[in-house]
Amino acid sequence: MTLGAFVRKNRPHWQRLDAMLGEIEARGPRRTNRAFLQELSALYRSTTGDLAFAQTHYRGTTLLLFLSQLVGRAHNQIYRPHRLSARGIADFVRNDIPQSVRSHLLALSWSGIVFLLGIALGLSAVQFDERAASIILPANVLNSIYSGQMWTGSIFSIVPAPVASAAIFTSNISVALLAFAGGLSFGLMTFWILFQNGFMLGVVFKLCADYGLLGRLFEFIASHGLLEISSILVSGGAGFVLANALLHPGPYLRRDALAQQGRPALRMVVACVPALIMAGCIEAFISPSHAPVWIKVTLGLVLGGVFWLYLLFTGRRPAISAEKVP
């Protein structure tokens, strides 16, 4: 292709990119919309290809200098560092996090299904053979239940509440992060963590019911249980989002699909960290207290309800729906 033909063919794209860059440089990137940024990215990629072609066939021409400058300007705008601001943080919390959750409701549903499956099998295992509880519960917990005593009392009588709360939410955050990172194992580790936690809960519920402790167990978990379990489920859903990117990359390379889906998955986990910290503090200070049961139940329902209302109904609606999850 001659130089003149190459210029005539691609000049409209270069002029459009130049005009868009001028607009961003004059007004700033925050005054652009999604369609504008998508067009800018597409023009940047095509112009980068034109630059590579010109470097091969039109060395020493003014066209090569022009394209180099144009691509450099576009690169600086697209990959410019983002300044951390109060407005940006507020937008991230108000819009980005709930959008990410709503865009991956199918992954979240799978997380809930696996957790409920674990509960059902835990209940069934103890119903079939009570010795199955020894597979997953420590000996001291089993001995307390068999003697008709809640194991939580001895723990909180020894460990100060501030220390206990830090240990609890640190442990819960670790579980959430493992459930999220487990997506890199094609979802196998995420599946196991969710199933294991559900199985343990099913075993505990069944044993406490058999030994007359179900009411006391409910009283203990009423204030923090819904918020804590909800956070683990959302983290598990984030892990399944990563697994989906690896198992169904679509037209992308797996690493590119993982990078693309990793951002919303990480936002889902970010939503769980403050929730788990709050749940840990409540579990240490309020759950073992002698506060009336109705206060604990009300607190648990309010916190759990606010958490799900925030994730499902706040912020702008997502423009793109989730891909299917294995």
Side-chain angles (χ1 to χ4, degrees):
M1 182 183 297
T2 65
L3 177 59
F6 181 71
V7 172
R8 285 192 298 272
K9 176 183 178 183
N10 298 291
R11 178 183 290 159
H13 300 147
W14 303 336
Q15 290 175 337
R16 173 59 178 162
L17 179 58
D18 180 65
M20 295 178 76
L21 291 173
E23 184 175 346
I24 291 181
E25 290 165 351
R27 301 171 53 191
R30 289 191 176 274
R31 297 190 177 183
T32 59
N33 54 35
R34 182 182 295 271
F36 183 96
L37 296 176
Q38 289 176 338
E39 183 183 2
L40 179 69
S41 299
L43 288 173
Y44 169 69
R45 291 192 296 269
S46 65
T47 306
T48 301
D50 295 338
L51 174 60
F53 187 86
Q55 288 173 333
T56 302
H57 299 281
Y58 310 122
R59 294 180 181 177
T61 63
T62 55
L63 173 65
L64 184 59
L65 177 61
F66 167 76
L67 290 177
S68 298
Q69 293 175 342
L70 186 62
V71 169
R73 288 171 60 202
H75 180 276
N76 291 338
Q77 292 300 328
I78 292 174
Y79 296 101
R80 65 190 299 170
H82 297 283
R83 295 180 180 178
L84 189 63
S85 64
R87 180 179 177 183
I89 295 174
D91 186 67
F92 175 79
V93 173
R94 184 175 60 250
N95 296 310
D96 293 348
I97 289 177
Q99 279 181 17
S100 298
V101 173
R102 292 195 295 267
S103 294
H104 297 92
L105 290 178
L106 185 56
L108 184 56
S109 299
W110 275 103
S111 179
I113 289 171
V114 173
F115 188 77
L116 290 175
L117 177 64
I119 292 177
L121 290 181
L123 291 169
S124 301
V126 176
Q127 176 68 31
F128 180 75
D129 188 345
E130 191 176 281
R131 291 173 297 179
S134 61
I135 299 174
I136 199 165
L137 294 182
N140 63 315
V141 174
L142 288 173
N143 292 333
S144 295
I145 295 175
Y146 292 152
S147 61
Q149 300 293 326
M150 284 291 292
W151 64 96
T152 55
S154 59
I155 295 175
F156 290 105
S157 63
I158 298 174
V159 181
V163 177
S165 66
I168 291 169
F169 69 66
T170 299
S171 175
N172 289 336
I173 290 174
S174 299
V175 172
L177 293 178
L178 284 174
F180 164 63
L184 298 176
S185 65
F186 295 89
L188 295 177
M189 182 60 70
T190 300
F191 181 96
W192 172 247
I193 290 172
L194 291 169
F195 178 83
Q196 182 187 47
N197 279 269
F199 187 87
M200 181 184 298
L201 188 61
V203 168
V204 169
F205 265 100
K206 179 58 179 171
L207 278 181
C208 287
D210 291 343
Y211 287 86
L213 295 173
L214 190 58
R216 294 174 63 184
L217 175 64
F218 175 76
E219 179 182 351
F220 177 75
I221 67 173
S223 56
H224 71 271
L226 180 58
L227 185 60
E228 183 178 300
I229 292 173
S230 298
S231 300
I232 298 300
L233 294 182
V234 173
S235 299
F240 283 136
V241 172
L242 296 184
N244 180 58
L246 294 175
L247 293 170
H248 303 285
Y252 306 101
L253 295 175
R254 278 193 169 86
R255 65 171 180 270
D256 295 331
L258 188 62
Q260 184 183 54
Q261 293 298 313
R263 286 188 289 272
L266 184 59
R267 295 186 193 115
M268 294 170 69
V269 177
V270 169
C272 301
V273 173
L276 288 172
I277 291 175
M278 182 178 296
C281 293
I282 293 172
E283 185 174 352
F285 288 95
I286 298 177
S287 296
S289 71
H290 298 292
V293 176
W294 70 267
I295 291 181
K296 295 181 179 180
V297 172
T298 302
L299 178 62
L301 292 176
V302 168
L303 291 177
V306 169
F307 182 72
W308 284 111
L309 286 173
Y310 161 65
L311 294 180
L312 299 179
F313 297 103
T314 61
R316 295 187 298 266
R317 306 304 299 180
I320 303 174
S321 61
E323 299 178 8
K324 64 181 180 179
V325 176

